[in-house]
mmCIF file of all heavy atoms in Angstrom:
data_model
loop_
_atom_site.group_PDB
_atom_site.id
_atom_site.type_symbol
_atom_site.label_atom_id
_atom_site.label_comp_id
_atom_site.label_asym_id
_atom_site.label_seq_id
_atom_site.Cartn_x
_atom_site.Cartn_y
_atom_site.Cartn_z
ATOM 1 N N LEU A 17 6.522 10.534 20.027
ATOM 2 C CA LEU A 17 7.867 11.087 20.186
ATOM 3 C C LEU A 17 8.050 11.822 21.508
ATOM 4 O O LEU A 17 9.181 12.118 21.901
ATOM 5 C CB LEU A 17 8.203 11.998 19.004
ATOM 6 C CG LEU A 17 8.293 11.289 17.641
ATOM 7 C CD1 LEU A 17 8.602 12.294 16.531
ATOM 8 C CD2 LEU A 17 9.325 10.170 17.645
ATOM 9 N N LYS A 18 6.960 12.087 22.207
ATOM 10 C CA LYS A 18 7.047 12.730 23.533
ATOM 11 C C LYS A 18 7.536 11.722 24.576
ATOM 12 O O LYS A 18 8.339 12.059 25.445
ATOM 13 C CB LYS A 18 5.665 13.275 23.922
ATOM 14 C CG LYS A 18 5.659 14.144 25.152
ATOM 15 C CD LYS A 18 6.146 15.523 24.823
ATOM 16 C CE LYS A 18 6.049 16.423 26.033
ATOM 17 N NZ LYS A 18 6.723 17.697 25.791
ATOM 18 N N THR A 19 7.024 10.480 24.478
ATOM 19 C CA THR A 19 7.332 9.460 25.492
ATOM 20 C C THR A 19 8.275 8.373 24.971
ATOM 21 O O THR A 19 8.839 7.620 25.759
ATOM 22 C CB THR A 19 6.037 8.767 25.955
ATOM 23 O OG1 THR A 19 5.457 8.078 24.825
ATOM 24 C CG2 THR A 19 5.052 9.764 26.525
ATOM 25 N N GLY A 20 8.398 8.274 23.645
ATOM 26 C CA GLY A 20 9.193 7.202 23.055
ATOM 27 C C GLY A 20 8.436 5.898 22.912
ATOM 28 O O GLY A 20 8.947 4.917 22.369
ATOM 29 N N GLU A 21 7.203 5.884 23.405
ATOM 30 C CA GLU A 21 6.379 4.667 23.320
ATOM 31 C C GLU A 21 6.043 4.362 21.858
ATOM 32 O O GLU A 21 5.694 5.253 21.087
ATOM 33 C CB GLU A 21 5.090 4.889 24.122
ATOM 34 C CG GLU A 21 4.235 3.666 24.315
ATOM 35 C CD GLU A 21 3.012 3.938 25.188
ATOM 36 O OE1 GLU A 21 2.778 5.116 25.564
ATOM 37 O OE2 GLU A 21 2.289 2.978 25.481
ATOM 38 N N SER A 22 6.167 3.094 21.481
ATOM 39 C CA SER A 22 5.974 2.710 20.086
ATOM 40 C C SER A 22 5.151 1.427 20.000
ATOM 41 O O SER A 22 5.228 0.574 20.896
ATOM 42 C CB SER A 22 7.344 2.507 19.436
ATOM 43 O OG SER A 22 7.218 2.348 18.041
ATOM 44 N N GLU A 23 4.367 1.301 18.951
ATOM 45 C CA GLU A 23 3.602 0.080 18.712
ATOM 46 C C GLU A 23 3.644 -0.281 17.235
ATOM 47 O O GLU A 23 3.803 0.592 16.372
ATOM 48 C CB GLU A 23 2.126 0.249 19.138
ATOM 49 C CG GLU A 23 1.897 0.055 20.598
ATOM 50 C CD GLU A 23 0.424 -0.133 20.961
ATOM 51 O OE1 GLU A 23 -0.472 -0.015 20.097
ATOM 52 O OE2 GLU A 23 0.171 -0.414 22.145
ATOM 53 N N HIS A 24 3.467 -1.560 16.968
ATOM 54 C CA HIS A 24 3.354 -2.072 15.603
ATOM 55 C C HIS A 24 1.875 -2.049 15.224
ATOM 56 O O HIS A 24 1.014 -2.284 16.067
ATOM 57 C CB HIS A 24 3.889 -3.509 15.551
ATOM 58 C CG HIS A 24 3.854 -4.116 14.186
ATOM 59 N ND1 HIS A 24 2.753 -4.818 13.718
ATOM 60 C CD2 HIS A 24 4.751 -4.118 13.178
ATOM 61 C CE1 HIS A 24 2.997 -5.224 12.485
ATOM 62 N NE2 HIS A 24 4.200 -4.813 12.130
ATOM 63 N N PHE A 25 1.560 -1.733 13.957
ATOM 64 C CA PHE A 25 0.164 -1.803 13.515
ATOM 65 C C PHE A 25 0.061 -2.678 12.271
ATOM 66 O O PHE A 25 1.028 -2.852 11.526
ATOM 67 C CB PHE A 25 -0.419 -0.404 13.253
ATOM 68 C CG PHE A 25 0.280 0.381 12.176
ATOM 69 C CD1 PHE A 25 -0.094 0.265 10.836
ATOM 70 C CD2 PHE A 25 1.298 1.282 12.494
ATOM 71 C CE1 PHE A 25 0.537 1.004 9.840
ATOM 72 C CE2 PHE A 25 1.942 2.021 11.501
ATOM 73 C CZ PHE A 25 1.561 1.886 10.175
ATOM 74 N N ASP A 26 -1.120 -3.235 12.066
ATOM 75 C CA ASP A 26 -1.368 -4.115 10.924
ATOM 76 C C ASP A 26 -1.958 -3.333 9.763
ATOM 77 O O ASP A 26 -2.678 -2.348 9.969
ATOM 78 C CB ASP A 26 -2.343 -5.239 11.310
ATOM 79 C CG ASP A 26 -1.729 -6.216 12.302
ATOM 80 O OD1 ASP A 26 -0.512 -6.471 12.198
ATOM 81 O OD2 ASP A 26 -2.463 -6.706 13.180
ATOM 82 N N ILE A 27 -1.659 -3.786 8.556
ATOM 83 C CA ILE A 27 -2.278 -3.230 7.352
ATOM 84 C C ILE A 27 -2.240 -4.307 6.274
ATOM 85 O O ILE A 27 -1.275 -5.074 6.189
ATOM 86 C CB ILE A 27 -1.566 -1.929 6.870
ATOM 87 C CG1 ILE A 27 -2.274 -1.354 5.642
ATOM 88 C CG2 ILE A 27 -0.081 -2.164 6.611
ATOM 89 C CD1 ILE A 27 -1.785 0.025 5.214
ATOM 90 N N ASN A 28 -3.290 -4.360 5.478
ATOM 91 C CA ASN A 28 -3.359 -5.266 4.343
ATOM 92 C C ASN A 28 -2.172 -4.989 3.409
ATOM 93 O O ASN A 28 -1.879 -3.840 3.089
ATOM 94 C CB ASN A 28 -4.704 -5.023 3.642
ATOM 95 C CG ASN A 28 -4.823 -5.733 2.315
ATOM 96 O OD1 ASN A 28 -4.240 -5.322 1.323
ATOM 97 N ND2 ASN A 28 -5.590 -6.797 2.307
ATOM 98 N N GLY A 29 -1.481 -6.046 2.975
ATOM 99 C CA GLY A 29 -0.283 -5.899 2.160
ATOM 100 C C GLY A 29 -0.521 -5.161 0.853
ATOM 101 O O GLY A 29 0.305 -4.339 0.428
ATOM 102 N N TYR A 30 -1.649 -5.451 0.208
ATOM 103 C CA TYR A 30 -1.985 -4.775 -1.056
ATOM 104 C C TYR A 30 -2.193 -3.282 -0.827
ATOM 105 O O TYR A 30 -1.686 -2.436 -1.575
ATOM 106 C CB TYR A 30 -3.231 -5.421 -1.668
ATOM 107 C CG TYR A 30 -3.866 -4.612 -2.771
ATOM 108 C CD1 TYR A 30 -3.218 -4.457 -4.000
ATOM 109 C CD2 TYR A 30 -5.099 -3.995 -2.587
ATOM 110 C CE1 TYR A 30 -3.790 -3.698 -5.021
ATOM 111 C CE2 TYR A 30 -5.677 -3.243 -3.604
ATOM 112 C CZ TYR A 30 -5.017 -3.102 -4.808
ATOM 113 O OH TYR A 30 -5.579 -2.346 -5.807
ATOM 114 N N LYS A 31 -2.939 -2.943 0.238
ATOM 115 C CA LYS A 31 -3.206 -1.527 0.530
ATOM 116 C C LYS A 31 -1.921 -0.797 0.927
ATOM 117 O O LYS A 31 -1.727 0.369 0.578
ATOM 118 C CB LYS A 31 -4.262 -1.396 1.638
ATOM 119 C CG LYS A 31 -5.659 -1.755 1.186
ATOM 120 C CD LYS A 31 -6.139 -0.827 0.101
ATOM 121 C CE LYS A 31 -7.545 -1.098 -0.353
ATOM 122 N NZ LYS A 31 -7.903 -0.316 -1.549
ATOM 123 N N LYS A 32 -1.040 -1.475 1.631
ATOM 124 C CA LYS A 32 0.250 -0.875 1.990
ATOM 125 C C LYS A 32 1.033 -0.544 0.720
ATOM 126 O O LYS A 32 1.560 0.570 0.581
ATOM 127 C CB LYS A 32 1.046 -1.844 2.870
ATOM 128 C CG LYS A 32 2.432 -1.334 3.258
ATOM 129 C CD LYS A 32 3.160 -2.338 4.137
ATOM 130 C CE LYS A 32 4.557 -1.857 4.497
ATOM 131 N NZ LYS A 32 5.257 -2.811 5.386
ATOM 132 N N HIS A 33 1.077 -1.492 -0.216
ATOM 133 C CA HIS A 33 1.773 -1.277 -1.490
ATOM 134 C C HIS A 33 1.180 -0.066 -2.223
ATOM 135 O O HIS A 33 1.915 0.800 -2.712
ATOM 136 C CB HIS A 33 1.666 -2.532 -2.361
ATOM 137 C CG HIS A 33 2.156 -2.334 -3.763
ATOM 138 N ND1 HIS A 33 3.508 -2.331 -4.089
ATOM 139 C CD2 HIS A 33 1.483 -2.102 -4.928
ATOM 140 C CE1 HIS A 33 3.631 -2.116 -5.385
ATOM 141 N NE2 HIS A 33 2.426 -1.973 -5.920
ATOM 142 N N CYS A 34 -0.154 -0.018 -2.295
ATOM 143 C CA CYS A 34 -0.815 1.085 -3.014
ATOM 144 C C CYS A 34 -0.523 2.438 -2.369
ATOM 145 O O CYS A 34 -0.250 3.416 -3.063
ATOM 146 C CB CYS A 34 -2.322 0.841 -3.099
ATOM 147 S SG CYS A 34 -2.764 -0.468 -4.271
ATOM 148 N N LEU A 35 -0.564 2.504 -1.038
ATOM 149 C CA LEU A 35 -0.261 3.762 -0.339
ATOM 150 C C LEU A 35 1.176 4.196 -0.596
ATOM 151 O O LEU A 35 1.444 5.370 -0.879
ATOM 152 C CB LEU A 35 -0.486 3.603 1.169
ATOM 153 C CG LEU A 35 -1.922 3.649 1.690
ATOM 154 C CD1 LEU A 35 -1.952 3.318 3.172
ATOM 155 C CD2 LEU A 35 -2.564 5.009 1.455
ATOM 156 N N MET A 36 2.096 3.247 -0.524
ATOM 157 C CA MET A 36 3.507 3.595 -0.675
ATOM 158 C C MET A 36 3.865 3.980 -2.110
ATOM 159 O O MET A 36 4.764 4.781 -2.335
ATOM 160 C CB MET A 36 4.388 2.438 -0.190
ATOM 161 C CG MET A 36 4.323 2.278 1.322
ATOM 162 S SD MET A 36 5.460 1.025 1.952
ATOM 163 C CE MET A 36 7.033 1.782 1.561
ATOM 164 N N GLU A 37 3.099 3.442 -3.066
ATOM 165 C CA GLU A 37 3.362 3.751 -4.477
ATOM 166 C C GLU A 37 2.454 4.859 -5.015
ATOM 167 O O GLU A 37 2.595 5.283 -6.163
ATOM 168 C CB GLU A 37 3.193 2.484 -5.327
ATOM 169 C CG GLU A 37 4.211 1.401 -5.024
ATOM 170 C CD GLU A 37 5.648 1.849 -5.236
ATOM 171 O OE1 GLU A 37 5.915 2.553 -6.245
ATOM 172 O OE2 GLU A 37 6.512 1.530 -4.391
ATOM 173 N N GLY A 38 1.495 5.315 -4.192
ATOM 174 C CA GLY A 38 0.571 6.360 -4.643
ATOM 175 C C GLY A 38 -0.397 5.864 -5.702
ATOM 176 O O GLY A 38 -0.700 6.574 -6.660
ATOM 177 N N LEU A 39 -0.883 4.637 -5.541
ATOM 178 C CA LEU A 39 -1.761 4.018 -6.540
ATOM 179 C C LEU A 39 -3.151 3.759 -5.971
ATOM 180 O O LEU A 39 -3.282 3.239 -4.862
ATOM 181 C CB LEU A 39 -1.190 2.657 -6.983
ATOM 182 C CG LEU A 39 0.239 2.611 -7.520
ATOM 183 C CD1 LEU A 39 0.690 1.166 -7.669
ATOM 184 C CD2 LEU A 39 0.327 3.340 -8.851
ATOM 185 N N ASP A 40 -4.188 4.103 -6.726
ATOM 186 C CA ASP A 40 -5.513 3.596 -6.372
ATOM 187 C C ASP A 40 -5.719 2.281 -7.126
ATOM 188 O O ASP A 40 -4.825 1.808 -7.843
ATOM 189 C CB ASP A 40 -6.620 4.626 -6.643
ATOM 190 C CG ASP A 40 -6.763 4.999 -8.106
ATOM 191 O OD1 ASP A 40 -6.325 4.225 -8.992
ATOM 192 O OD2 ASP A 40 -7.333 6.077 -8.389
ATOM 193 N N ASP A 41 -6.892 1.660 -6.971
ATOM 194 C CA ASP A 41 -7.120 0.345 -7.575
ATOM 195 C C ASP A 41 -6.979 0.379 -9.093
ATOM 196 O O ASP A 41 -6.426 -0.542 -9.696
ATOM 197 C CB ASP A 41 -8.510 -0.181 -7.186
ATOM 198 C CG ASP A 41 -8.599 -0.524 -5.695
ATOM 199 O OD1 ASP A 41 -7.546 -0.764 -5.082
ATOM 200 O OD2 ASP A 41 -9.715 -0.550 -5.165
ATOM 201 N N ILE A 42 -7.471 1.454 -9.718
ATOM 202 C CA ILE A 42 -7.385 1.577 -11.181
ATOM 203 C C ILE A 42 -5.926 1.736 -11.614
ATOM 204 O O ILE A 42 -5.459 1.080 -12.546
ATOM 205 C CB ILE A 42 -8.212 2.788 -11.696
ATOM 206 C CG1 ILE A 42 -9.686 2.673 -11.257
ATOM 207 C CG2 ILE A 42 -8.092 2.912 -13.210
ATOM 208 C CD1 ILE A 42 -10.446 1.539 -11.861
ATOM 209 N N ASP A 43 -5.196 2.603 -10.897
ATOM 210 C CA ASP A 43 -3.768 2.793 -11.201
ATOM 211 C C ASP A 43 -3.025 1.460 -11.128
ATOM 212 O O ASP A 43 -2.169 1.167 -11.960
ATOM 213 C CB ASP A 43 -3.113 3.760 -10.194
ATOM 214 C CG ASP A 43 -3.675 5.161 -10.243
ATOM 215 O OD1 ASP A 43 -4.087 5.600 -11.330
ATOM 216 O OD2 ASP A 43 -3.709 5.821 -9.183
ATOM 217 N N PHE A 44 -3.355 0.676 -10.106
ATOM 218 C CA PHE A 44 -2.677 -0.611 -9.908
ATOM 219 C C PHE A 44 -2.939 -1.545 -11.087
ATOM 220 O O PHE A 44 -2.023 -2.201 -11.595
ATOM 221 C CB PHE A 44 -3.153 -1.259 -8.600
ATOM 222 C CG PHE A 44 -2.519 -2.594 -8.319
ATOM 223 C CD1 PHE A 44 -1.250 -2.668 -7.764
ATOM 224 C CD2 PHE A 44 -3.187 -3.776 -8.623
ATOM 225 C CE1 PHE A 44 -0.655 -3.905 -7.510
ATOM 226 C CE2 PHE A 44 -2.603 -5.008 -8.379
ATOM 227 C CZ PHE A 44 -1.323 -5.073 -7.813
ATOM 228 N N LEU A 45 -4.198 -1.590 -11.545
ATOM 229 C CA LEU A 45 -4.540 -2.443 -12.689
ATOM 230 C C LEU A 45 -3.820 -1.984 -13.956
ATOM 231 O O LEU A 45 -3.292 -2.803 -14.712
ATOM 232 C CB LEU A 45 -6.053 -2.460 -12.917
ATOM 233 C CG LEU A 45 -6.872 -3.226 -11.883
ATOM 234 C CD1 LEU A 45 -8.364 -3.019 -12.127
ATOM 235 C CD2 LEU A 45 -6.539 -4.713 -11.914
ATOM 236 N N VAL A 46 -3.796 -0.675 -14.182
ATOM 237 C CA VAL A 46 -3.120 -0.130 -15.363
ATOM 238 C C VAL A 46 -1.624 -0.471 -15.314
ATOM 239 O O VAL A 46 -1.035 -0.888 -16.312
ATOM 240 C CB VAL A 46 -3.334 1.406 -15.467
ATOM 241 C CG1 VAL A 46 -2.429 2.006 -16.528
ATOM 242 C CG2 VAL A 46 -4.802 1.711 -15.772
ATOM 243 N N GLN A 47 -1.035 -0.311 -14.125
ATOM 244 C CA GLN A 47 0.391 -0.596 -13.953
ATOM 245 C C GLN A 47 0.702 -2.071 -14.242
ATOM 246 O O GLN A 47 1.797 -2.405 -14.689
ATOM 247 C CB GLN A 47 0.818 -0.239 -12.517
ATOM 248 C CG GLN A 47 2.308 -0.189 -12.313
ATOM 249 C CD GLN A 47 2.665 0.123 -10.868
ATOM 250 O OE1 GLN A 47 2.354 -0.654 -9.961
ATOM 251 N NE2 GLN A 47 3.300 1.262 -10.635
ATOM 252 N N ASN A 48 -0.277 -2.938 -13.981
ATOM 253 C CA ASN A 48 -0.063 -4.374 -14.156
ATOM 254 C C ASN A 48 -0.777 -4.940 -15.383
ATOM 255 O O ASN A 48 -0.974 -6.152 -15.484
ATOM 256 C CB ASN A 48 -0.495 -5.116 -12.892
ATOM 257 C CG ASN A 48 0.460 -4.855 -11.736
ATOM 258 O OD1 ASN A 48 1.525 -5.443 -11.671
ATOM 259 N ND2 ASN A 48 0.089 -3.940 -10.857
ATOM 260 N N GLN A 49 -1.136 -4.066 -16.304
ATOM 261 C CA GLN A 49 -1.876 -4.489 -17.501
ATOM 262 C C GLN A 49 -1.134 -5.578 -18.280
ATOM 263 O O GLN A 49 -1.733 -6.536 -18.749
ATOM 264 C CB GLN A 49 -2.140 -3.281 -18.406
ATOM 265 C CG GLN A 49 -3.029 -3.611 -19.585
ATOM 266 C CD GLN A 49 -3.387 -2.362 -20.391
ATOM 267 O OE1 GLN A 49 -3.051 -1.255 -19.992
ATOM 268 N NE2 GLN A 49 -4.048 -2.547 -21.507
ATOM 269 N N HIS A 50 0.192 -5.440 -18.387
ATOM 270 C CA HIS A 50 0.973 -6.435 -19.132
ATOM 271 C C HIS A 50 0.868 -7.825 -18.502
ATOM 272 O O HIS A 50 0.801 -8.833 -19.197
ATOM 273 C CB HIS A 50 2.439 -5.991 -19.244
ATOM 274 C CG HIS A 50 3.155 -5.914 -17.922
ATOM 275 N ND1 HIS A 50 2.890 -4.947 -16.984
ATOM 276 C CD2 HIS A 50 4.118 -6.712 -17.392
ATOM 277 C CE1 HIS A 50 3.659 -5.128 -15.932
ATOM 278 N NE2 HIS A 50 4.418 -6.200 -16.150
ATOM 279 N N LEU A 51 0.812 -7.860 -17.161
ATOM 280 C CA LEU A 51 0.681 -9.152 -16.470
ATOM 281 C C LEU A 51 -0.704 -9.750 -16.700
ATOM 282 O O LEU A 51 -0.848 -10.965 -16.873
ATOM 283 C CB LEU A 51 0.928 -8.974 -14.966
ATOM 284 C CG LEU A 51 2.330 -8.527 -14.553
ATOM 285 C CD1 LEU A 51 2.408 -8.261 -13.071
ATOM 286 C CD2 LEU A 51 3.364 -9.590 -14.963
ATOM 287 N N ILE A 52 -1.715 -8.878 -16.716
ATOM 288 C CA ILE A 52 -3.090 -9.347 -16.977
ATOM 289 C C ILE A 52 -3.186 -9.908 -18.389
ATOM 290 O O ILE A 52 -3.750 -10.983 -18.615
ATOM 291 C CB ILE A 52 -4.098 -8.191 -16.762
ATOM 292 C CG1 ILE A 52 -4.083 -7.726 -15.295
ATOM 293 C CG2 ILE A 52 -5.507 -8.610 -17.178
ATOM 294 C CD1 ILE A 52 -4.750 -6.399 -15.042
#
C-alpha cells in the first residue's frame, strides 16, 4: 500500500476454501459427511 505495487499469488483451491471457511481437514470431512 506504500507503492501501490501488486502481485497475484497461487494457492491450492482446497486450502483456499478451508482458510476462507475456517475449516481444518477434520472440519471439512465433518461438514461433508452427508456427501461421503
